[in-house]
Amino acid sequence: MSASNPAVRRGRAAKGARTGRPHTAWVLPGVLFFTFFAVAPMALAFYLSFTKWNGLGDPQPVGLANWQKLIHDPRLTQSLTVTVLLTVVSWAFQTVLSLLLGVWAAGRQRNRAILSAIFFVPFLLSSTAISLLFYALLDPNFGIIHGDTLGTTSGAFLAIVFVGGWQFIPFHTLIYQGGARQIPEVLYQAAAMDGAGRYRQFFSITLPQLRNTATTSSVLMIVGSLTYFETVLILTQGGPGTDTAILPYLMYEAGFKSYDFGYASAVASFLVVAATALSLLLVRLSGFGAMRSTREGM
């Protein structure tokens, strides 16, 4: 049979396509890891939210009692308000700085590469270590700032926002840096020929081209802000009073102070649902799911 036969060529092309595509088995380790360490714990927490359990013995089914308690809990409204406010302020703070730093770090100069590497160091540290460091720095007796910063509502809240931003802004800067480097240089060259200055290029080219990058970064920020825990526990312990008692801290108090793991599981399940709904809403409103390329629509 001749090699020029169309059927032979199609067969070879199909064989080549099968050879170049990874086997489904390569996905198995990731699926198993996600199942055991994400899906299974969430399913267990959802089951425990319908039980009464103090950590000992067998969980006792109580139906919707924990969810009814959660809905009527006066602390829920306050914790939810603080959580939403923390999420919004953290998103605004981290997005502005990481966007500007990421676009700046996308340059090719040697000094920018060195500074970017140094700037990324805080993200390599654990949240616990960073929180302990800033707790010592903000100590009213031995810290570098005079006054009880963590003893006031505004001071404690801003400290949480700053510490979280200090750790995670480098990560989001790296995301924006990668996105900025994917923008075709020809767009800036054409804009410069038309007389557009640096600021006009930033708002007319850079920002629109980073829309998908901003959506990805924002989803990670929102989910991360909803799950803040170590920073609040170490810096403020929900104080002063309950002014910084966010939902994860409310879950911690219910589970490890009151030993009501059923109610704590209800709070945890509520957090999962809220974070998932916000992420899907953000993706839907931004049009991220409909975009096939960052260059689409140019």
Side-chain angles (χ1 to χ4, degrees), residues 86 90 155-165 228 231-232 235-236 244:
L86 177 64
S90 297
F157 182 84
L158 293 177
I160 295 172
V161 173
F162 178 81
V163 173
Y228 271 167
T231 305
V232 175
L235 284 182
T236 67
T244 58

Side-chain angles (χ1 to χ4, degrees), residues 40-85:
M42 286 190 293
L44 178 61
F46 187 71
Y47 162 73
L48 290 176
S49 68
F50 297 98
T51 66
K52 182 177 179 60
W53 187 46
N54 61 359
L56 300 174
D58 297 328
Q60 302 298 321
V62 294
L64 298 175
N66 289 322
W67 290 94
Q68 293 174 350
K69 179 181 177 181
L70 177 64
I71 295 174
H72 296 93
D73 191 343
R75 297 177 301 172
L76 175 65
T77 302
Q78 182 188 16
S79 296
L80 187 59
T81 302
V82 175
T83 303
V84 171
L85 184 61

